[in-house]
Amino acid sequence: MKKRTIEVVVPPREPHYVGDGFRVHNFIPGAYRLNMERMTPFIMLDYNSKFYFPPSEVPKGVGVHPHRGFETVTIAYKGKVAHHDSAGNSGVIGEGEVQWMTAASGILHKEFHEENFSKSGGDFQMVQLWVNLPAKDKMSKPKYQGLTKEQISKFTLPDNKGVIEVIAGEYNGVKGAATTFTPVHLLNAKLNKGADTTFSFPQTYNTALLVIEGSVKVNDTEDVPVNHFVLFENDGESFTVHASEDAVVLVLSGEPIHEPIAAQGPFVMNTRKEIMEAIDDYNSGKFGHLED
Ligand code: MN
């Protein structure tokens, strides 16, 4: 298998707040080389690195807002977040759980710190990823998948090296529970100090990793500290990750969607005309209703 080399290691940018509950470093789109086209089908990645939120009687978060044309995936590492949407879906995800929401034709939702977590306060750490939809599926019906700890498949590495959690796609024959519209691999590698692992994806797939905990050495050459993001070239299939200390690494790889991208705020379509339609539909109430 041909080795995939590193294109760039991206440090976390200055954090900003999404609503008042998510203190995020934006990696996609906006960081050096990480625009929507380069990273397709991953068109947005916000990372709330581990941050202590003090107790609050009023839950912090993001109020009612729309989405159309893609999926939002929230991976909780610390803390708990509650979700409600206009399709009638709701859920709470906590440590080790994932929420995969298909906005598709249009949805309103809100995302807040879960009530008891908010009251007690605590460390909060999450990734939110937007996965684009192909044109033919952008106007399909909204859908919600909440993945509990038990539903997330695991591949146990030999010799006590750790475990690979498969959120979507596949690792060494273990398949993830999340259903996707295009091929996407989303893996959470929990590695014990000293562990070496290899990941391999088709050369054309856009591939990256984010160090959530600890630090790693990639391809035996590049030391990557916590909260740093590694973008790989599309020049091979496989790369190695060595855990320099106990580490958690989010690995993402997906088949590119080679279609035009027209993006504005919470809408990601293929043309400007479709963006105008999304705004009109939202303003005329076609995204449904959700209480504040
Ligand atoms: Mn949202």
Side-chain angles (χ1 to χ4, degrees):
M1 249 175 314
K2 196 172 172 228
K3 192 155 234 179
R4 187 187 278 270
T5 60
I6 294 171
E7 181 168 327
V8 63
V9 177
V10 184
R13 301 199 295 169
E14 279 300 303
H16 68 273
Y17 274 86
V18 177
D20 62 1
F22 300 88
R23 179 187 176 273
V24 303
H25 310 278
N26 172 258
F27 284 95
I28 310 169
Y32 180 59
R33 294 198 202 180
L34 301 182
N35 64 29
M36 288 182 169
E37 282 79 10
R38 175 64 187 89
M39 292 306 299
T40 169
F42 309 108
I43 49 175
M44 204 283 303
L45 192 154
D46 270 348
Y47 173 46
N48 190 134
S49 59
K50 199 185 292 169
F51 183 77
Y52 177 78
F53 279 91
S56 171
E57 283 301 314
V58 181
K60 294 179 188 301
V62 194
V64 177
H65 61 278
H67 289 297
R68 173 181 280 181
F70 57 93
E71 305 184 279
T72 70
V73 180
T74 307
I75 305 163
Y77 291 98
K78 296 275 177 210
K80 281 186 178 176
V81 67
H83 158 96
H84 293 86
D85 70 42
S86 54
N89 296 306
S90 65
V92 172
I93 56 162
E95 282 191 39
E97 299 183 320
V98 175
Q99 172 200 296
W100 197 295
M101 186 189 80
T102 307
S105 64
I107 212 163
L108 303 176
H109 80 154
K110 56 183 179 181
E111 301 153 283
F112 282 94
H113 295 186
E114 184 270 337
E115 213 173 319
N116 288 324
F117 171 78
S118 180
K119 280 185 181 143
S120 59
D123 282 343
F124 193 80
Q125 186 178 26
M126 309 234 163
V127 166
Q128 189 172 88
L129 189 61
W130 291 4
V131 179
N132 207 1
L133 291 172
K136 68 175 179 55
D137 297 315
K138 280 188 179 289
M139 293 302 283
S140 62
K141 203 168 159 266
K143 190 168 88 170
Y144 180 85
Q145 305 172 73
L147 302 183
T148 61
K149 270 185 190 171
E150 296 71 37
Q151 287 169 309
I152 295 173
S153 327
K154 290 170 188 67
F155 179 87
T156 304
L157 296 164
D159 308 322
N160 194 34
K161 286 196 287 189
V163 65
I164 310 289
E165 296 178 346
V166 186
I167 299 167
E170 188 249 312
Y171 182 85
N172 264 8
V174 173
K175 286 186 166 47
T179 60
T180 64
F181 288 77
T182 59
V184 168
H185 300 283
L186 197 57
L187 312 172
N188 216 16
K190 295 184 167 168
L191 304 174
N192 293 324
K193 182 180 176 173
D196 287 294
T197 50
T198 301
F199 297 90
S200 187
F201 306 105
Q203 182 170 333
T204 54
Y205 283 28
N206 290 329
T207 301
L209 63 79
L210 175 65
V211 180
I212 303 289
E213 293 280 353
S215 61
V216 299
K217 190 184 268 256
V218 176
N219 285 345
D220 296 324
T221 55
E222 193 75 25
D223 284 309
V224 185
V226 71
N227 301 339
H228 282 53
F229 186 96
V230 176
L231 169 64
F232 291 94
E233 297 271 11
N234 294 76
D235 60 352
E237 293 98 45
S238 69
F239 60 91
T240 60
V241 176
H242 170 83
S244 311
E245 54 190 311
D246 288 354
V248 177
V249 178
L250 177 67
V251 176
L252 39 153
S253 183
E255 183 180 81
I257 299 172
H258 291 301
E259 293 174 346
I261 296 174
Q264 186 171 321
F267 309 122
V268 182
M269 304 300 288
N270 301 107
T271 65
R272 295 305 307 166
K273 185 169 168 282
E274 289 167 343
I275 292 289
M276 300 320 285
E277 284 165 7
I279 294 167
D280 282 350
D281 287 352
Y282 169 59
N283 287 332
S284 60
K286 287 187 185 154
F287 281 50
H289 180 75
L290 186 64
E291 292 292 330
D292 281 327

